[in-house]
Amino acid sequence: MEVQVLIKANAYYDSVTLMAISKKMKNLPGVLEAVVSMGTELNKELIAQVGMGLPSVTAAGPNDLIIAVGAADAGSLEYVLKEVEQALVQRNRAAKGVVEAPKSLEGAVAAYPESNLAIISLPGAFAAREVRKALENQLHVMLFSDNVSLQDEVQLKKLAHDRGLLLMGPDCGTAIINHVPLCFANVVRPGNIGVVAASGTGTQEVTCLIDRFGGGVSQVIGTGGRDLKAEVGGIMMLDALQALENDPATDVIVIISKPPAPGVTEKILGLMKRGGKPKVVYFLGGDRQIVEQAGAVAGCNLADTARKAVALANKEPLSTDWSCVTAELSLIRQEQAGLAPGQKYVRALYTGGTLCDEAILAMQEDLGPIYSNIVFDSRFMLPDSAKSMKHTAIDLGDDKFTVGRPHPMIDPTIRLERLLQEARDPETAVILLDVVLGYGSHPDPAGILAPVVKEAKKLAKGQGRYLSVVASICGTYRDPQDYADQQAKLVDAGVALADANIKAARLAAAIVKNGA
């Protein structure tokens, strides 16, 4: 491999731009590797791992731009380097065509003094410093970054609490504040249901279903996935819960998370008891009884949680328990019809972590152990996340898959590759998928997924098998991707669509449970 590295000192570009350029360059003829990134330690490590760790890479600093390209021959190398330069020039021209954005938090505060919230998305090692600045400027913070130390998280959340501010995160991807969707969020009808959650796609699923069932949301506050650990103590969950109790626009409160640490559970349940508003609580895989003993309504799954919240908001009787939802028998039979005798496993490929959690909980009731990279039971942790075994559910948005590349809800390339990998396995009966719409997500997730589904089905058919593909769409009809168009593309590709993630998971399980 011919390798060349260029270093541009003090040339800052945002990570999304650079990832897009890297991906484009890797698809050029003759290119074997292409990494265009800032010179952070993590990025330099990634470049070394693909065989381009030259001394100039090691010497680069975090403010330097690294262009590292490996090609089959010198001609291809020269061509791709010119293409990178051209892409950077085009990006600069585009940037000059819009109002210049502030280059620092101080500049943003000076330019927009009326602001009261900052969204911070930086490499984790640099994020804590900026969060502290924002809090000291009396700004609420949504911290999208992950890889922030637990020690920093605790200190910053205590600072936010002392100042009466919210710190949503680290690793907080979803919020709707004053009806404005932030980061990964959907266009949901305004209403009187407030949501506080340590769950990204779980929040999206519940808010989208609230919208579909006729309800709406007042505020949606994320806490970050570690907030309910003993070390953090649920600082933001408690503050957000109290804020919703005090919010005159909120009549019903929804809480979504994995089960908190025992001491944190007691604090949350204690606050819930003291509050005067009805609440629906869904602790994934948790004890429903302790929720009900605290005077709240326990959700059985994400859809059930949404439906019960809407019923409470409308002062209607609580709806049927959705823990036992099943798919239509005719659809199950239809998907089972072509399965070969050796096809016996579900392979779930999720872009949303909480949606994957919910699918694991639902399918294991019917199928037994589900192997995964985000297991509830460590006995069923996949030894290698790149290879499925028996029934498997993978969260492709897990940190292991997103180092140095965009989240699969933004760039689904990793899932498309894995889908074909699973289709080649003669033991695969069903591939289960989520399709997440809304701001932040790919502009046409079904459009990019459908041709690969067709290819996967064709591949299986060529080997005398039928490949069942089951999916649900997490989104609303007001999302920018056009919900109906997304549905049509998936149906045209032969996908069996369910109208909620829990139903899709149960359909997938039912197909293999009594199938071939």
Side-chain angles (χ1 to χ4, degrees):
M1 178 169 72
E2 297 274 348
V3 175
Q4 186 164 346
V5 172
L6 299 178
I7 307 294
K8 293 181 177 291
N10 297 315
Y12 175 78
Y13 291 84
D14 66 86
S15 60
V16 174
T17 295
L18 297 180
M19 286 177 181
I21 293 175
S22 296
K23 181 183 176 185
K24 183 178 179 182
M25 297 307 129
K26 285 184 74 171
N27 291 329
L28 292 176
V31 176
L32 304 178
E33 290 291 347
V35 181
V36 185
S37 66
M38 300 306 295
T40 63
E41 292 302 317
L42 177 61
N43 288 335
K44 290 193 288 187
E45 183 180 333
L46 290 172
I47 292 171
Q49 287 175 358
V50 296
M52 299 189 293
L54 301 184
S56 57
V57 171
T58 305
N63 294 322
D64 299 334
L65 176 67
I66 302 174
I67 303 170
V69 178
D73 53 70
S76 298
L77 194 62
E78 181 180 1
Y79 174 72
V80 71
L81 287 171
K82 288 181 180 177
E83 288 293 308
V84 173
E85 293 284 1
Q86 184 62 30
L88 293 173
V89 169
Q90 289 175 350
R91 186 268 176 197
N92 287 337
R93 286 175 178 166
K96 289 178 181 177
V98 299
V99 177
E100 186 173 358
K103 298 184 183 302
S104 67
L105 184 65
E106 293 83 352
V109 170
Y112 305 100
E114 72 280 13
S115 301
N116 65 358
L117 185 148
I119 299 175
I120 295 177
S121 177
L122 290 168
F126 307 102
R129 180 183 59 191
E130 298 304 313
V131 172
R132 181 174 293 279
K133 287 182 189 174
L135 294 173
E136 289 173 346
N137 277 282
Q138 208 56 27
L139 297 172
H140 299 285
V141 173
M142 182 175 185
L143 179 55
F144 190 79
S145 309
D146 55 10
N147 294 314
V148 175
S149 74
L150 193 58
Q151 181 181 13
D152 281 338
E153 178 175 351
V154 172
Q155 291 177 353
L156 292 168
K157 283 189 167 171
K158 287 180 177 177
L159 176 61
H161 172 79
D162 290 344
R163 286 177 168 263
L165 297 168
L166 292 174
L167 168 50
M168 299 181 281
D171 199 18
C172 178
T174 300
I176 302 175
I177 303 298
N178 294 338
H179 312 302
V180 178
L182 302 176
C183 297
F184 292 116
N186 303 84
V187 185
V188 178
R189 182 187 298 112
N192 59 348
I193 301 172
V195 179
V196 55
S199 160
T201 50
T203 305
Q204 290 190 259
E205 177 82 345
V206 167
T207 54
C208 288
L209 291 175
I210 285 173
D211 183 280
R212 192 181 306 167
F213 298 152
V217 300
S218 52
Q219 307 286 350
V220 178
I221 303 171
T223 67
R226 296 186 307 204
D227 189 73
L228 300 176
K229 289 183 177 293
E231 297 88 339
V232 185
I235 296 172
M236 277 306 116
M237 177 66 79
L238 294 166
D239 283 357
L241 187 54
Q242 188 61 60
L244 292 177
E245 285 282 1
N246 297 337
D247 177 20
T250 298
D251 294 329
V252 176
I253 299 173
V254 171
I255 299 172
I256 311 163
S257 80
K258 287 185 176 179
V264 181
T265 301
E266 293 172 8
K267 292 180 186 176
I268 293 171
L269 295 179
L271 183 57
M272 283 167 47
K273 287 179 182 176
R274 294 192 295 275
K277 296 181 179 178
K279 300 170 186 70
V280 184
V281 181
Y282 180 41
F283 291 147
L284 287 91
D287 185 349
R288 291 172 55 187
Q289 193 172 10
I290 62 169
V291 172
E292 291 166 351
Q293 288 172 346
V297 176
C300 302
N301 51 58
L302 297 170
D304 180 61
T305 300
R307 190 176 289 277
K308 287 174 174 172
V310 173
L312 288 173
N314 293 336
K315 303 186 185 308
E316 297 170 347
L318 291 180
S319 53
T320 304
D321 187 335
W322 269 44
S323 63
C324 299
V325 290
T326 53
E328 293 179 16
L329 186 59
S330 61
L331 183 55
I332 296 171
R333 297 296 183 216
Q334 173 190 307
E335 292 300 305
Q336 288 176 332
L339 296 179
Q343 290 181 269
K344 49 189 176 182
Y345 295 128
V346 175
R347 301 291 162 73
L349 306 177
Y350 274 88
T351 60
T354 307
L355 296 176
C356 187
D357 284 333
E358 183 183 49
I360 291 172
L361 292 170
M363 292 193 297
Q364 69 184 13
E365 292 179 11
D366 292 327
L367 303 177
I370 307 294
Y371 289 85
S372 179
N373 58 334
I374 55 167
V375 291
F376 289 86
D377 184 336
S378 59
R379 293 175 298 169
F380 308 119
M381 176 67 77
L382 282 171
D384 181 356
S385 299
K387 296 178 182 176
S388 297
M389 56 187 294
K390 299 185 179 180
H391 299 299
T392 292
I394 295 287
D395 172 17
L396 293 164
D398 186 60
D399 292 351
K400 295 177 183 174
F401 292 104
T402 56
V403 175
R405 72 175 82 197
H407 191 283
M409 281 162 55
I410 300 171
D411 177 1
T413 301
I414 190 171
R415 179 160 77 170
L416 302 179
E417 295 169 349
R418 186 66 176 260
L419 198 160
L420 293 175
Q421 175 184 322
E422 301 297 348
R424 294 187 189 96
D425 185 344
E427 292 188 321
T428 301
V430 181
I431 293 179
L432 174 62
L433 306 168
D434 59 343
V435 178
V436 182
L437 311 185
Y439 291 111
S441 291
H442 190 281
D444 185 12
I448 201 166
L449 187 59
V452 182
V453 169
K454 290 180 180 178
E455 184 180 348
K457 284 178 170 283
K458 183 179 178 181
L459 189 157
K461 186 177 182 180
Q463 298 175 359
R465 297 179 282 121
Y466 172 73
L467 181 66
S468 176
V469 179
V470 175
S472 66
I473 299 174
C474 174
T476 74
Y477 282 91
R478 287 179 290 279
D479 282 330
Q481 289 90 348
D482 188 340
Y483 190 101
D485 179 63
Q486 298 293 300
Q487 277 184 314
K489 287 174 178 173
L490 293 172
V491 170
D492 179 67
V495 175
L497 271 182
D499 59 11
N501 181 60
I502 184 68
K503 287 189 173 182
R506 293 209 181 280
L507 172 59
I511 291 169
V512 298
K513 184 177 181 181
N514 299 309

